[in-house]
Amino acid sequence: MRIMYGFFISIGLLLAACQDDGPIPMESTGFDEGQALERGLNPDSLKQAIRNASNLPNFYGLLVVKDNELVVEEYFNGKTANDHYHLRSITKNFTSALTGIAIEEGLIDSLDLPVTAHFSDLDVSKEAITIKHLLNMTSGLQWNEGNEVIPLIEHRIQMPVNNYLSRTLTSSPGSSYNYSSVSPHVVATLISDRTNGSYATYATDKLFSPLGIANFKWEKDPQGNEWGGFGLQLLPADLVKFGQLYLNKGDWNNLPVVPNNWVELSQSAQITIPNSSTAYSLQWYVADNLKYKVYYGQGFGGQALMLIPGKNMMIIGLQEYLVSFQQSRIQWNGFLKEVFNPVYGALN
């Protein structure tokens, strides 16, 4: 069976487990050694990461940006910069950004808006669930991502928002983390409902157009709404723009796109993830147990958008997403150990 859903693994533990094999001399058309040196990065460490990525069978793309300059852009296994890449759960990070924008412009009152303020037919037991809980994966509603995401993706759950919100509460809202790809889709649906338009139209008007993103694809739910939790496909250059927007604290060309305070909150650990040193905040994973804090989006198959705000640096990994859960875990681990680790080590 092929399954496509998100999961996390603690970055810190895998970094500690990885050993550096030393520099490997190589030529690379997508690596600017002079730019690396100018930006204070160890070029041998970056070459090591590129070589390692080229040896991973399902690895498609590696991009490293430092101080708003593209230092590494390499593609493998027949892929190019002109291909669209399935971001899978990194779509959730876009939903987070759009929620911050919606709050700033008054479309949503605040993070504390109860879902019952919009979905008014819910019973009173759901009154405590807020937008914040949905984005932090702490709604308390019953959901098993591993068992239910395939029926979700295959449209076998015909009305996903209604289905999810009708579930039984298994914990108090805000008290415990339970990953759900429907949770951010509830927020995306609320946004599109309140604009009387499509979610993609809102994303285009408020986020994509300001960044110059014009070429994207987006999978839809059974009702024809773009998914808020997965399904977005972008060109690599456009994913770089989104990452740089966050490194710029929400500004683009000196103009605000995402509120500065929303970007700051997104990288501030709010929720502890069980059995992990990694935390969570508004659809972002937060690893502040490293020398330089990293917060990141992660998509099934090992898609990665890693931001190191203290160093104004971004690392993007793109891989095959049509794989089993076991293979997805292998690919994420491979990215962390073989690619992320030497790139991160280039900062030392």
Side-chain angles (χ1 to χ4, degrees):
M1 177 186 295
R2 292 187 170 191
I3 53 180
M4 297 164 280
Y5 56 91
F7 64 95
F8 69 91
I9 293 177
S10 171
I11 286 181
L13 294 176
L14 287 174
L15 282 175
C18 182
Q19 300 297 319
D20 186 2
D21 294 326
I24 298 177
M26 63 177 295
E27 296 297 328
S28 170
T29 57
F31 170 53
D32 189 330
E33 184 166 347
Q35 194 65 252
L37 290 168
E38 184 178 338
R39 303 294 162 187
L41 297 174
N42 184 324
D44 288 334
S45 190
L46 295 178
K47 290 175 184 177
Q48 178 77 54
I50 296 167
R51 175 63 60 85
N52 291 350
S54 71
N55 289 329
L56 295 173
N58 286 339
F59 204 92
Y60 290 155
L62 171 63
L63 296 92
V64 178
V65 179
K66 179 76 167 68
D67 300 331
N68 206 19
E69 293 290 341
L70 193 60
V71 178
V72 175
E73 184 180 20
E74 289 282 355
Y75 300 97
F76 313 94
N77 295 303
K79 294 295 184 176
T80 74
N82 297 317
D83 290 317
H84 282 84
Y85 293 84
H86 288 262
L87 305 185
R88 306 322 294 167
S89 285
I90 295 176
T91 304
K92 294 176 173 67
N93 304 103
F94 285 80
T95 290
S96 177
L98 290 166
T99 306
I101 293 169
I103 291 173
E104 179 73 9
E105 67 176 15
L107 190 67
I108 295 174
D109 296 343
S110 73
L111 267 175
D112 297 321
L113 178 75
V115 292
T116 53
H118 184 80
F119 302 99
S120 56
D121 57 342
L122 297 177
D123 63 69
V124 295
S125 69
K126 311 297 170 59
E127 288 180 338
I129 303 173
T130 67
I131 299 296
K132 181 178 181 179
H133 297 144
L134 292 170
L135 293 182
N136 279 341
M137 304 294 189
T138 59
S139 71
L141 294 169
Q142 183 275 324
W143 180 261
N144 186 312
E145 182 80 1
N147 293 337
E148 300 188 80
V149 73
I150 292 303
L152 183 71
I153 291 171
E154 294 180 347
H155 289 192
R156 286 186 275 134
I157 299 177
Q158 282 299 306
M159 301 185 71
V161 170
N162 291 349
N163 180 291
Y164 183 64
L165 293 178
S166 69
R167 300 291 182 96
T168 301
L169 283 167
T170 58
S171 62
S172 299
S175 65
S176 60
Y177 175 91
N178 180 30
Y179 190 92
S180 165
S181 286
V182 190
S183 192
H185 189 53
V186 174
V187 181
T189 301
L190 184 153
I191 289 173
S192 59
D193 285 351
R194 291 192 167 193
T195 61
N196 295 313
S198 74
Y199 190 48
T201 297
Y202 187 77
T204 297
D205 291 345
K206 303 297 181 178
L207 185 59
F208 294 165
S209 288
L211 298 183
I213 297 174
N215 192 352
F216 65 90
K217 301 176 184 179
W218 208 329
E219 297 167 359
K220 298 179 180 181
D221 74 4
Q223 283 68 55
N225 302 316
E226 288 81 13
W227 288 108
F230 52 83
L232 181 60
Q233 303 171 47
L234 289 182
L235 299 171
D238 289 334
L239 183 56
V240 167
K241 293 174 184 177
F242 180 71
Q244 192 61 52
L245 173 69
Y246 267 72
L247 290 175
N248 293 348
K249 301 181 180 179
D251 294 344
W252 192 256
N253 290 332
N254 297 316
L255 295 174
V257 176
V258 177
N260 297 160
N261 61 351
W262 187 264
V263 174
E264 184 63 32
L265 186 60
S266 299
Q267 58 184 288
S268 303
Q270 294 190 51
I271 300 300
T272 299
I273 298 176
N275 305 313
S276 174
S277 59
T278 305
Y280 202 73
S281 181
L282 304 177
Q283 308 286 283
W284 292 87
Y285 296 98
V286 182
D288 52 13
N289 57 323
L290 306 175
K291 181 177 181 180
Y292 306 114
K293 178 169 123 178
V294 180
Y295 73 110
Y296 62 100
Q298 177 188 348
F300 191 82
Q303 323 313 322
L305 173 62
M306 322 292 283
L307 303 180
I308 309 172
K311 289 295 182 178
N312 193 21
M313 184 166 166
M314 172 191 343
I315 307 165
I316 290 174
L318 302 165
Q319 304 192 65
E320 174 59 56
Y321 80 99
L322 285 173
V323 294
S324 68
F325 178 81
Q326 180 182 12
Q327 181 60 31
S328 180
R329 183 180 295 274
I330 290 170
Q331 290 177 191
W332 176 250
N333 286 349
F335 166 75
L336 288 181
K337 291 181 179 180
E338 304 297 336
V339 181
F340 175 82
N341 193 46
V343 175
Y344 187 87
L347 286 164
N348 296 325

